[in-house]
């Protein structure tokens, strides 16, 4: 585990350096879906401090079993009736994609008396099988999230199409970055700085295009 973790950290650093970025400006989120708690704990002990899960219900027991230390990121679609559970277990939510969900998370965060950092999920490539807003609809949701008392919009997230050659999805990452820049300069302000993009197959290209958070499963934990 330690070896795999170090290899990914090294690849992140090299990608950042290729474009003159500080490797410390890229956060590695280890995606632990399908990985048992004991192996997750090994990764945490090797130095992995941020973990991601897709499903709230499945994550609850794992978060408990892994124990204290890591920060948990919700990276999969959230259902309204799971908002309270999600706010109780996850520190950051990457997958807000509707006002209804935003309002449910805001309510749950208010009950917990906690401000929750959130990212807006954008379906840049317009794939029918993927969650996320169209780029054109993101500004409106960001504006509404800014009006929520307990939500702090910190940036955008996308899942790029699967591609054999990661170069083919470079324009997707570039477009998400341009959208982040526009929103930041417009409604959202300087705190809107995060770009959650890049997975095992394409994270180096995502970093070259400005990713500040990469979500990596297979390269750390092996094939699911
Ligand atoms: C599974 C998953 C990842 C990690 O994918 P790998 O290809 O295993 O690195 C990242 N983001 C989301 C939203 C995922 O569901």
């Amino acid at each position: 585990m330690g070896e795999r973790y170090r290899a990914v950290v090294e690849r992140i650093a090299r990608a950042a350096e290729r474009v003159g970025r500080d490797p410390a400006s890229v956060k590695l989120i280890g995606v632990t879906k399908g990985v048992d708690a004991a192996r997750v704990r090994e990764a945490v002990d090797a130095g992995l401090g941020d973990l991601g899960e897709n499903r709230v219900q499945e994550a609850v027991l794992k978060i408990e079993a892994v124990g204290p230390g890591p920060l948990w990121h919700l990276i999969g679609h959230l259902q309204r009736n799971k908002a309270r559970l999600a706010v109780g277990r996850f520190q950051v939510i990457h997958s807000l994609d509707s006002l209804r969900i935003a309002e449910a998370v805001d309510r749950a965060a208010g009950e917990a008396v906690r401000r929750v950092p959130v990212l807006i999920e954008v379906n840049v490539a317009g794939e029918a099988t993927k969650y996320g807003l169209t780029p054109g609809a993101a500004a409106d949701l960001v504006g509404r999230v800014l009006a929520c008392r307990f939500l702090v919009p910190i940036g955008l997230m996308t899942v790029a199409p699967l591609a054999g050659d990661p170069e083919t999805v470079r324009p997707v990452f570039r477009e998400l970055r341009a959208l982040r820049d526009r929103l930041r300069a417009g409604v959202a302000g300087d705190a809107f700085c995060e770009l959650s993009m890049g997975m095992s197959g394409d994270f180096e290209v995502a970093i070259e295009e400005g990713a500040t958070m990469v979500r990596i499963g297979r390269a750390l934990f092996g094939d699911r």
Side-chain angles (χ1 to χ4, degrees):
M1 181 66 235
E3 217 161 286
R4 272 208 161 116
Y5 169 67
R6 280 186 294 277
V8 169
V9 168
E10 183 56 38
R11 284 172 64 189
I12 289 172
R14 278 201 304 265
E17 281 157 4
R18 271 200 294 282
V19 291
R21 297 184 59 197
D22 179 357
S25 67
V26 183
K27 188 188 290 290
L28 167 59
I29 299 171
V31 176
T32 59
K33 60 176 178 240
V35 182
D36 64 50
R39 288 184 62 223
V40 176
R41 188 69 228 178
E42 269 180 50
V44 170
D45 293 340
L48 188 61
D50 289 88
L51 302 173
E53 276 281 333
N54 294 65
R55 291 165 168 276
V56 177
Q57 204 93 40
E58 287 173 29
V60 168
L61 285 177
K62 192 181 292 183
I63 290 172
E64 180 85 31
V66 170
L71 292 181
W72 288 90
H73 300 248
L74 180 64
I75 61 171
H77 185 68
L78 177 60
Q79 288 170 307
R80 221 157 45 127
N81 62 357
K82 304 273 175 14
R84 189 176 290 126
L85 200 52
V87 165
R89 298 300 193 286
F90 290 90
Q91 280 72 48
V92 186
I93 295 177
H94 288 231
S95 43
L96 273 199
D97 63 359
S98 75
L99 181 59
R100 287 174 72 233
I101 306 289
E103 286 174 343
V105 175
D106 187 44
R107 237 180 343 265
E111 286 167 14
V113 201
R114 184 164 90 72
R115 283 164 68 81
V116 176
V118 297
L119 293 89
I120 310 299
E121 181 169 359
V122 180
N123 185 354
V124 176
E127 289 178 286
T129 53
K130 293 237 165 88
Y131 288 106
L133 295 164
T134 63
D140 182 58
L141 185 60
V142 170
R144 288 166 180 272
V145 169
L146 280 165
C148 290
R149 251 186 92 189
F150 295 97
L151 302 185
V152 186
I154 59 169
L156 299 176
M157 180 269 223
T158 198
V159 179
L162 262 181
D165 177 2
E167 281 301 328
T168 54
V169 291
R170 189 181 287 277
V172 168
F173 298 137
R174 202 167 277 178
E175 184 174 340
L176 195 74
R177 181 197 183 139
L179 182 59
R180 192 268 328 253
D181 291 347
R182 283 200 299 280
L183 293 171
R184 190 180 183 186
V187 285
D190 280 349
F192 199 77
C193 57
E194 304 290 350
L195 279 174
S196 171
M197 59 189 195
M199 306 173 28
S200 293
D202 57 21
F203 70 89
E204 284 147 314
V205 171
I207 290 168
E208 288 170 10
E209 296 300 329
T212 63
M213 297 169 154
V214 289
R215 309 177 308 267
I216 298 181
R218 287 169 301 137
L220 283 171
F221 298 104
D223 283 328
R224 285 183 289 275

